[in-house]
């Protein structure tokens, strides 16, 4: 690790200098998350196109991070670039507080892909989740939201709860500035634990279960056979709404896990990738739920009721989203991306097996991730316990020094429409070399 750290500093003098001079930024970066990058400082972006990033020191990288899913369409795809230019420079206007005809096209396409009948827009998946939660509370009259331990729903306050050592809910470690004890707003159950879920729903105070169909941000944790059907059955039995957050699980296919696994949520939230790199998010509602909400005269859905934002659904974001869905993240593109991810998974598995390492690898469509444990974790808590930050940093830095980027906070690799077989094979070779050094 000392050798790789020294090499990173030698290779990246301009990034090191830029970081040292960033005195006016909180944590020296535009967003504190960027400090998670392995090494003493982050690499600074010069440009990006397709599946490639170039830093200010002139190094080119094969990018498997893809903005932690935000650039799953690839960096600056031509169709999105042209749509944004046409909307902003050609027609003019990004934020006018007026709808565009593109929005109905996007809504219809999201219905085709995910099945939900009515759609509204946000700028982030976090906002989509916040607004979906408010709608769920309004229509059910219940106060609490249930999530899975070590789930990921952005910075939603209600989601920062985990299963503690005693089996009850407790604040997730590191939660910043919580407005109240999270157990006042939330309940929690382990992923793949139907008995635990029913125990929490039996209290009768849960408005909605907000869940990823597969955990992603703590390492991929896939649902066991029958689990998701069981979740849907229990939520219906206890009068609780089901919200599928497909922001990361969108990698499963053009309609995410909801379409791939024939799921039937009451609401669905998504963000990041749908805008092709331009900030965009959305939430969908079943026709019945939308009608129930719109029939409520006591709910302020158009002004200060707590649902919506000035820039949500702006013309620029909607134009980018239409271009992304229509021309970039197409059904055909997802099929190619999934095949590349299978190839990536096979390469990682071959490296692990060659050295008889007690590791595992999981895949969700275009997304692959390896873990420092075997068998594959079945809950978020098990997955969190398998973390090894020092080993993770070594592998990330080793790969970065050889022109490959993974998502900084875990070992996730994502394919985009511009990723090639050679990109995948390059990772396989470098990963194998790293493992050979680790085992001596």
């Amino acid at each position: 690790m000392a050798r790789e750290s020294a090499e990173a500093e030698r290779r990246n003098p301009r990034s090191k200098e830029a970081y040292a001079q960033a005195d006016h930024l909180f944590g020296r970066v535009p967003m504190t998350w960027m400090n998670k990058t392995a090494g003493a400082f982050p690499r600074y972006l010069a440009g990006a196109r397709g599946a490639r990033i170039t830093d200010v020191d002139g190094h080119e990288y094969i990018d498997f991070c893809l903005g932690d899913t935000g650039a799953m369409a690839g960096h600056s795809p031509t169709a999105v670039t042209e749509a944004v230019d046409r909307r902003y420079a050609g027609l003019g206007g990004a934020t006018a507080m007026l709808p565009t005809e593109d929005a109905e096209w996007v809504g219809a396409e999201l219905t085709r892909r995910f099945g939900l009948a009515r759609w509204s827009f946000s700028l982030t998946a976090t906002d989509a989740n916040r607004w979906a939660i408010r709608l769920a509370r309004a229509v059910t009259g219940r106060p609490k939201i249930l999530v899975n331990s070590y789930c990921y729903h952005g910075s939603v306050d209600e989601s920062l709860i985990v299963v503690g050592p005693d089996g009850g809910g407790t604040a997730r470690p590191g939660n910043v500035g919580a407005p109240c004890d999270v157990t006042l707003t939330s309940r929690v159950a382990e992923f793949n634990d139907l008995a635990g879920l029913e125990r929490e729903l039996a209290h009768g105070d849960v408005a909605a279960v907000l869940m990823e169909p597969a955990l992603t941000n703590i390492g991929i944790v896939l649902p066991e056979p029958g689990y998701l059907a069981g979740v849907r059955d229990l939520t219906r039995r206890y009068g609780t709404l089901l919200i599928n957050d497909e922001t990361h699980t969108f990698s499963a296919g053009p309609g995410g896990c909801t379409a791939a696994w024939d799921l039937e949520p009451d609401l669905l939230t998504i963000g990041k990738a749908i805008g092709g790199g331009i900030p965009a998010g959305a939430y969908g509602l079943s026709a019945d739920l939308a009608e129930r909400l719109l029939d409520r005269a006591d709910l302020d859905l158009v002004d200060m009721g707590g649902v919506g934002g000035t820039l949500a659904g702006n013309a620029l974001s909607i134009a980018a989203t239409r271009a992304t869905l229509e021309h970039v993240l197409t059904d055909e593109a997802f099929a190619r991306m999934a095949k590349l991810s299978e190839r990536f998974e096979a390469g990682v598995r071959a490296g692990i097996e060659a050295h008889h390492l007690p590791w595992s690898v999981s895949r969700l469509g275009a997304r692959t991730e390896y873990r420092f444990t075997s068998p594959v974790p079945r809950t978020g808590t098990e997955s969190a316990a398998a973390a090894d930050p020092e080993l993770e940093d070594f592998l990330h830095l080793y790969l970065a020094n050889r022109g490959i980027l993974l998502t900084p906070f875990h070992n996730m690799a994502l394919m985009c429409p511009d990723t090639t077989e050679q990109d995948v094979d390059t990772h396989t070779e470098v990963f194998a070399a790293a493992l050979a050094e680790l085992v001596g």
Side-chain angles (χ1 to χ4, degrees), residues 77 79-81 83-84 87 102 106 273-280 314-326 328:
V80 178
T81 301
V84 168
R87 175 72 267 172
D102 282 342
V106 172
I274 61 171
I278 299 296
N314 72 78
L316 191 67
S317 292
I318 295 297
T321 301
R322 175 170 183 169
T324 301
L325 298 178
E326 187 173 11
V328 187

Side-chain angles (χ1 to χ4, degrees), residues 1-9 11-12 37-39 43 60-62 355 359 370 389-406 411 426-439:
M1 186 64 181
R3 182 198 69 200
E4 294 299 324
S5 296
E7 176 64 6
E9 294 206 32
R11 283 168 50 87
N12 299 287
T37 304
R43 289 152 196 81
E60 185 178 82
Y61 302 88
I62 301 169
H355 297 287
W359 296 2
Y370 54 89
E390 187 177 13
L391 179 55
E392 185 176 284
D393 279 356
F394 166 74
L395 288 167
H396 282 236
L397 202 55
Y398 190 99
L399 290 166
N401 284 340
R402 291 154 184 82
I404 299 171
L405 297 180
L406 297 185
N411 303 310
T426 298
H427 173 272
T428 298
E429 294 167 8
V430 177
F431 181 69
L435 296 187
E437 289 212 46
L438 281 172
V439 301

Side-chain angles (χ1 to χ4, degrees), residues 3-182:
R3 182 198 69 200
E4 294 299 324
S5 296
E7 176 64 6
E9 294 206 32
R10 185 195 68 78
R11 283 168 50 87
N12 299 287
R14 288 192 61 189
S15 287
K16 181 180 180 180
E17 181 182 13
Y19 187 68
Q21 293 179 349
D23 293 330
H24 295 89
L25 299 178
F26 182 51
R28 296 191 174 276
V29 284
M31 180 177 66
T32 52
W33 175 93
M34 295 176 183
N35 278 321
K36 182 61 176 172
T37 304
F41 52 85
R43 289 152 196 81
Y44 273 62
L45 175 70
R49 191 74 62 177
R52 293 288 189 280
I53 278 181
T54 303
D55 68 19
V56 295
D57 288 287
H59 306 301
E60 185 178 82
Y61 302 88
I62 301 169
D63 186 17
F64 291 113
C65 171
L66 295 171
D68 185 28
T69 307
M72 191 168 73
H75 296 289
S76 299
T78 300
V80 178
T81 301
E82 291 174 349
V84 168
D85 184 66
R86 182 168 59 252
R87 175 72 267 172
Y88 198 69
L91 298 172
T95 301
M97 198 58 84
L98 295 171
T100 62
E101 293 174 313
D102 282 342
E104 170 57 21
W105 187 98
V106 172
E109 176 65 4
L110 291 172
T111 295
R112 181 189 77 82
R113 290 179 180 231
F114 296 101
L116 283 298
R118 303 288 182 266
W119 291 84
S120 192
F121 301 101
S122 62
L123 286 183
T124 69
T126 292
D127 276 342
N129 281 321
R130 285 183 178 133
W131 301 342
I133 285 171
R134 294 182 75 96
L135 295 175
R137 284 187 170 127
V139 80
T140 64
R142 297 177 176 181
K144 292 194 175 183
I145 304 300
L146 187 145
V147 297
N148 293 127
S149 193
Y150 290 97
C151 61
Y152 183 69
H153 303 293
S155 57
V156 172
D157 288 325
E158 290 87 344
S159 70
L160 296 172
I161 183 172
V162 296
V163 174
D166 64 353
T170 187
R172 185 162 176 168
N175 188 5
V176 177
C180 63
D181 181 346
V182 71

